Amino acid sequence: MSLLLKIKKSPKLKLGLIIIGSLFALGILFFASIYFGAWGKLPSSKELSELQQSRATQVLSSEGELIGKFFIHDRQPVKYEDFPQHLLDALIATEDIRYYDHNGIDSRSLLRVFFKSILLQDDSAGGGSTITLQLAKNIYGRKDYGILGIVVNKFQEVVIANRLERLYDKEEILSLYFNTVPFSDNTFGIESAAMKFFGKPTSELNLEEAAVLVGMLKASHYYNPRIFPERSKLRRNVVLSQMEKYDFISEEKEKKAQDADLVLNYKNYGHDKGLAPYFREQVRKDVSKVLDTLKNKDGKKYNIYRDGLIVHTTLNYRMQELAEEAMKEHMAALQEQHEKSYGEAPPWKRNPKILEDAIKSSKPYKSLEKEGLSEEEIMAELDKTQPMELFNYSGTVTKTASVKDSIAHYLKFLNSGMLAVEPGTGAVQAWVGGIDYRYFQYDHVSQSKRQVGSTFKPIVYSAAIENGIEPCTYFSAREVTYAKGWRPANSASDNDDPHMNYNMKEALSKSMNTIAVKVLMEAGIGKVIHQARKMGIESEIPAVPSIALGTASLGLDELTTAFTPFANGGKYSKPFLITKIEDGNGNLLAEFQPKNGTSPALSETNRQIMVEMMKATVNEGTAYRLRSTYGLRNDIAGKTGTTQNNKDGWFVGMTPNLVSVTWVGSDDHRIGFRNTAIGQGANSALPIFGKLMQKMNAEPQFNKITQARFPVSPEVIEMLDCEPEKRDGFFKRLFGKNDQNQETGERTEKPEEKKEKKGFFKRLFGGKKNN
């Protein structure tokens, strides 16, 4: 009996065929609706041929090491030639063994997916997605179409995959896949993943590392090797087994690789983590300004987050690592000292106004205020508790706390800033803007202005010497009252004998306040301010005697500029960060040169005199602990600084090829150090430089800095060859009037008198007082 007769005689068979035919027709119509864009426009062949994924901008050190990135999606493209063969083999063995035999759709696997994933709604069944189908999903993602979501998305991916296979060869598809596939920790593309998890480019991945990354593709968070190392290792070994199963590696090689430990070299390139975050943020600001002035070939502005630019900087990668280590080591110990000194009643607890002001200036408070909430409502919101991470030197702690609790917690912390530059060019070598960028985003290098204390004294002395005051001129240490009753004093150890006189080298090395003001008055306030301008300082400096003690507020970067003339032939060099910006293909977009002063701020002789004076500060003065505590034998010049009421500690350290400035203090001016022993620059700021130099001394790559010596001429040595101190003669002590004019603070002796003028009893008995 023919088939037609059977159909006619069997109503059930006829109905079944009608149903099957209808379903088939509906399937074709459904597929056609997807193909022609009824469920959303699909990319055309032309659009697919011009694929352009957003790429992260790279920030490189002076030696080309990757410091960080700017991105929306952390992606860095790499060429097919840079893929190790074992990486390709791992992907094929694990994800798509028939990759080279199909045209983007593996029919055998797709049938399995149809019955398990679509008919049975088992979304975890998987197994049918080829590399090309996964690429389609990576590029265009998936949308929510309700109950038909899986079907619609799969069909869309089939169409896109088919078009991709017609446009690209197999190698090109693998390149597109590896450059778009998502990995753990918001990382896109194999190059970014290799750099983040193993600290190396894709081309250098070994077999085990390649297997870890390929294994991660099954479920990027679940197999994150940073969070779940054991789980990741098990998945890695599955990949290796697949490679052995399909004869990509031998059984012996599989076993050896499976027995290897999982070793990461994790590097976070996020904006708030990783190396030099404060420096990178300043680079981002500077690059953004430059890009506002440039246009690409299409006449559009470059996008720092999408266009894959390459930013070359001056930063020394290794020095930055050591500087951050030195800062953290010292600040952890200093914080403990600081809190212990105040005991149970520190100012951040004792003074409620400090906490109140901190709350009202916080971002959460201002945000709620903008929403129109009353103060009472805002405070109620800020009192609500939630789990949050709180910074601590012993490790980040997660606890339940309110925003108010968090603000109170952070008030107690001291902060720090450090900038180290090459004096000849101003090229930034290390930049530490604070103790931890995740929690303290205020940059103390570029944003903060503080009183600089005694670090201003070398500028005063430079002005004096430049204006004819000889370095062997003697000044009395006696206190003098100036206008408005201001009467500066020295520390107790320097104020024992009001009849003692000191030459300029000794007075600077001991950081004697009374003499610094007298030197300023002798040189002239106007000339000191002019000298500061010649040395690169642009901030306002009040024309008052107290500037000799550093009452002017300057930026840390500005103070760094002012010290570069001492190591750069008398000319200042402003700190600069970026050498050039390139597009992703290496084409130059912008290039930058050092910004140096046009004429010397000091003569060569006077420059050498000042360096020798500041070397004395290190060798025998207030910075002596560089020798005694840190055991440094380098040729170092330096200056300590402490501001009124121990609010700020400063230290400037110089070698012939490095100028470094360090600040330590509290972000709230009302919170100072408990006492001078803790707060003085020699204790609060100097140790960071000391520890940095210790670390650099241990590494030969820094020999150019650590082993360099300041040149000094015989003429300068002779000019400084005089007794450091002289005591008034007997009759002067007995009958002499106050030798300091209250308004001018004139010096004790004129330069031409300094050798001839000696008291009789002083010559007879000697002038030094026994201590």
Side-chain angles (χ1 to χ4, degrees):
M1 188 182 293
S2 70
L3 180 62
L4 288 175
L5 287 174
K6 286 182 179 180
I7 292 171
K8 285 180 179 179
K9 290 183 176 182
S10 175
K12 289 183 179 180
L13 182 59
K14 185 176 181 180
L15 180 63
L17 288 173
I18 290 172
I19 291 171
I20 291 171
S22 298
L23 289 173
F24 183 74
L26 284 172
I28 292 175
L29 287 171
F30 181 64
F31 182 79
S33 71
I34 293 171
Y35 186 88
F36 290 107
W39 297 83
K41 184 177 180 298
L42 295 178
S44 66
S45 296
K46 183 176 186 302
E47 288 171 329
L48 288 171
S49 68
E50 298 173 348
L51 281 176
Q52 182 65 47
Q53 294 290 308
S54 64
R55 296 175 293 167
T57 288
Q58 300 178 77
V59 182
L60 307 181
S61 73
S62 59
E63 297 297 321
E65 301 104 324
L66 182 63
I67 302 169
K69 301 178 182 180
F70 306 125
F71 56 84
I72 295 172
H73 297 300
D74 183 4
R75 181 186 289 113
Q76 209 61 52
V78 63
K79 296 178 181 177
Y80 181 86
E81 294 76 30
D82 293 321
F83 299 143
Q85 188 59 46
H86 49 253
L87 175 67
L88 296 167
D89 295 341
L91 180 69
I92 299 298
T94 310
E95 297 293 326
D96 191 358
I97 192 60
R98 289 183 287 277
Y99 174 70
Y100 291 104
D101 300 325
H102 61 65
N103 64 347
I105 295 91
D106 187 345
S107 302
R108 194 189 317 173
S109 297
L110 201 59
L111 283 173
R112 182 175 69 250
V113 172
F114 179 80
F115 285 106
K116 287 186 178 180
S117 294
I118 297 177
L119 296 184
L120 301 179
Q121 291 293 298
D122 180 5
D123 196 30
S124 64
S129 283
T130 64
I131 287 173
T132 317
L133 284 167
Q134 290 181 45
L135 173 60
K137 183 177 71 173
N138 293 342
I139 296 173
Y140 293 102
R142 286 180 170 176
K143 295 178 182 178
D144 183 8
Y145 296 107
I147 195 170
L148 295 174
I150 294 176
V151 185
V152 174
N153 281 305
K154 287 284 185 184
F155 276 145
Q156 285 180 333
E157 287 161 14
V158 166
V159 174
I160 296 171
N162 185 260
R163 290 175 181 175
L164 287 169
E165 288 276 348
R166 292 202 307 265
L167 290 167
Y168 298 100
D169 63 33
K170 290 292 185 179
E171 288 185 359
E172 290 171 331
I173 288 173
L174 284 173
S175 295
L176 285 168
Y177 178 86
F178 268 127
N179 284 319
T180 57
V181 66
F183 291 89
S184 305
D185 291 346
N186 192 33
T187 307
F188 293 79
I190 189 69
E191 183 76 352
S192 292
M195 293 299 297
K196 178 170 285 186
F197 290 98
F198 298 107
K200 60 174 68 172
T202 305
S203 59
E204 296 178 14
L205 290 172
N206 62 33
L207 174 61
E208 300 91 82
E209 293 163 345
V212 168
L213 295 179
V214 169
M216 201 186 298
L217 301 177
K218 183 176 176 65
S220 60
H221 177 72
Y222 190 80
Y223 293 113
N224 187 330
R226 177 180 64 84
I227 304 172
F228 310 112
E230 289 303 318
R231 198 181 286 170
S232 175
K233 184 177 179 181
L234 289 172
R235 178 62 185 165
R236 176 199 72 179
N237 290 348
V238 169
V239 174
L240 293 168
S241 294
Q242 288 292 102
M243 295 179 74
E244 190 277 329
K245 175 182 176 180
Y246 293 111
D247 297 324
F248 288 114
I249 57 174
S250 66
E251 188 176 343
E252 179 185 357
K253 200 167 187 179
E254 174 203 9
K255 187 177 186 313
K256 183 179 178 183
Q258 287 182 337
D259 289 341
D261 292 332
L262 175 60
V263 180
L264 300 181
N265 180 18
Y266 190 84
K267 294 181 180 295
N268 197 315
Y269 298 107
H271 77 281
D272 61 349
K273 296 179 182 177
L275 189 73
Y278 295 94
F279 174 81
R280 287 186 277 119
E281 174 58 14
Q282 188 61 44
V283 167
R284 186 194 65 80
K285 292 176 182 177
D286 292 351
V287 170
S288 296
K289 288 178 183 177
V290 173
L291 295 183
D292 282 342
T293 67
L294 301 175
K295 291 185 179 179
N296 60 24
K297 61 183 180 181
D298 298 322
K300 297 179 181 178
K301 288 184 179 180
Y302 287 95
N303 188 309
I304 193 172
Y305 301 106
R306 297 179 181 275
D307 288 343
L309 307 178
I310 302 170
V311 182
H312 297 264
T313 74
T314 62
L315 196 79
N316 185 302
Y317 193 100
R318 183 58 181 153
M319 193 188 298
Q320 179 69 27
E321 286 184 319
L322 298 181
E324 291 184 10
E325 286 175 14
M327 182 275 294
K328 287 175 183 174
E329 288 171 11
H330 171 64
M331 291 302 292
L334 185 67
Q335 184 66 38
E336 189 176 345
Q337 256 188 313
H338 179 57
E339 292 181 42
K340 187 177 179 181
S341 71
Y342 274 115
E344 295 299 316
W348 53 89
K349 289 183 179 179
R350 191 175 65 246
N351 185 349
K353 188 74 167 62
I354 292 177
L355 177 58
E356 182 185 339
D357 290 347
I359 290 171
K360 289 186 176 180
S361 63
S362 68
K363 287 181 180 179
Y365 184 96
K366 289 181 176 179
S367 176
L368 293 170
E369 192 176 38
K370 279 185 179 179
E371 292 178 18
L373 275 68
S374 68
E375 184 173 336
E376 185 178 349
E377 291 171 326
I378 292 172
M379 290 301 182
E381 286 293 319
L382 299 183
D383 273 328
K384 292 179 179 178
T385 60
Q386 58 182 315
M388 60 174 65
E389 286 187 351
L390 296 175
F391 169 79
N392 215 312
Y393 281 107
S394 58
T396 300
V397 192
T398 301
K399 61 191 301 185
T400 301
S402 68
V403 173
K404 283 185 182 178
D405 295 332
S406 170
I407 293 170
H409 171 76
Y410 289 118
L411 274 176
K412 69 182 180 182
F413 283 99
L414 296 167
N415 225 305
S416 179
M418 181 184 192
L419 181 63
V421 305
E422 182 183 80
T425 61
V428 171
Q429 304 295 287
W431 176 305
V432 183
I435 56 176
D436 193 312
Y437 188 79
R438 292 172 298 171
Y439 306 99
F440 305 91
Q441 296 189 358
Y442 187 75
D443 189 342
H444 297 89
V445 171
S446 63
Q447 293 177 284
S448 179
K449 283 193 175 186
R450 307 287 290 233
Q451 290 188 351
V452 295
S454 294
T455 57
F456 195 80
K457 290 175 183 175
I459 298 172
V460 174
Y461 281 64
S462 295
I465 294 173
E466 278 289 301
N467 284 280
I469 301 176
E470 295 184 17
C472 277
T473 302
Y474 289 83
F475 289 85
S476 168
R478 185 178 300 166
E479 292 182 16
V480 172
T481 301
Y482 294 88
K484 297 183 181 180
W486 181 62
R487 188 180 180 89
N490 299 314
S491 63
S493 59
D494 293 330
N495 202 31
D496 291 338
D497 190 345
H499 299 289
M500 192 62 73
N501 307 295
Y502 300 86
N503 69 21
M504 294 174 71
K505 177 181 173 183
E506 184 74 0
L508 184 62
S509 71
K510 288 188 174 182
S511 201
M512 300 181 76
N513 293 336
T514 55
I515 293 181
V517 181
K518 292 169 186 176
V519 172
L520 174 132
M521 300 303 286
E522 180 75 7
I525 294 176
K527 289 181 178 178
V528 169
I529 294 174
H530 180 64
Q531 182 67 31
R533 297 282 179 248
K534 290 199 297 179
M535 297 174 76
I537 291 177
E538 297 176 353
S539 292
E540 181 183 352
I541 302 174
V544 294
S546 63
I547 61 170
L549 309 186
T551 55
S553 294
L554 308 176
L556 191 150
D557 51 352
E558 200 171 18
L559 188 62
T560 304
T561 297
F563 274 80
T564 55
F566 298 124
N568 185 38
K571 293 182 180 180
Y572 71 77
S573 299
K574 291 195 172 185
F576 86 107
L577 296 70
I578 303 165
T579 55
K580 60 182 177 179
I581 303 171
E582 298 172 332
D583 66 16
N585 297 316
N587 299 312
L588 185 66
L589 301 180
E591 196 166 17
F592 307 92
Q593 299 298 327
K595 296 179 181 178
N596 293 351
T598 54
S599 57
L602 301 95
S603 69
E604 179 58 21
T605 297
N606 291 340
R607 183 194 69 79
Q608 290 185 23
I609 288 171
M610 287 306 305
V611 168
E612 292 302 303
M613 286 184 175
M614 286 187 282
K615 282 169 63 176
T617 301
V618 173
N619 294 334
E620 59 208 40
T622 57
Y624 181 66
R625 68 177 69 188
L626 285 178
R627 305 296 189 204
S628 61
T629 302
Y630 297 96
L632 301 178
R633 296 293 173 261
N634 314 75
D635 202 17
I636 302 171
K639 187 69 194 78
T640 56
T642 312
T643 60
Q644 285 182 311
N645 301 317
N646 302 304
K647 300 294 186 185
D648 309 270
W650 291 88
F651 182 69
V652 180
M654 296 189 297
T655 73
N657 296 316
L658 189 73
V659 171
S660 170
V661 177
T662 306
W663 166 87
V664 173
S666 172
D667 284 331
D668 192 305
H669 287 260
R670 292 166 291 186
I671 302 173
F673 292 94
R674 179 71 178 82
N675 53 54
T676 304
I678 298 174
Q680 62 179 305
N683 183 75
S684 58
L686 174 147
I688 297 176
F689 176 81
K691 286 177 175 289
L692 173 61
M693 288 301 295
Q694 282 181 327
K695 295 172 186 292
M696 290 172 62
N697 282 339
E699 301 193 13
Q701 63 177 296
F702 296 115
N703 285 353
K704 182 181 177 182
I705 293 170
T706 58
Q707 296 183 8
R709 303 195 67 81
F710 287 106
V712 56
S713 68
E715 177 192 4
V716 169
I717 293 173
E718 184 179 355
M719 292 176 72
L720 292 168
D721 185 19
C722 53
E723 289 296 319
E725 55 191 46
K726 294 172 72 173
R727 198 155 178 265
D728 289 341
F730 175 76
F731 287 108
K732 185 169 185 179
R733 279 182 278 142
L734 190 60
F735 303 112
K737 63 180 180 180
N738 187 337
D739 61 347
Q740 301 296 326
N741 182 286
Q742 289 190 343
E743 294 300 320
T744 64
E746 292 174 352
R747 62 195 179 206
T748 303
E749 299 177 358
K750 305 296 183 188
E752 64 273 12
E753 298 172 337
K754 68 179 184 291
K755 291 184 180 179
E756 290 78 9
K757 187 176 181 181
K758 292 182 180 179
F760 172 75
F761 287 100
K762 190 173 183 182
R763 292 199 305 271
L764 187 61
F765 300 112
K768 192 166 183 179
K769 179 181 178 181
N770 291 326
N771 293 319

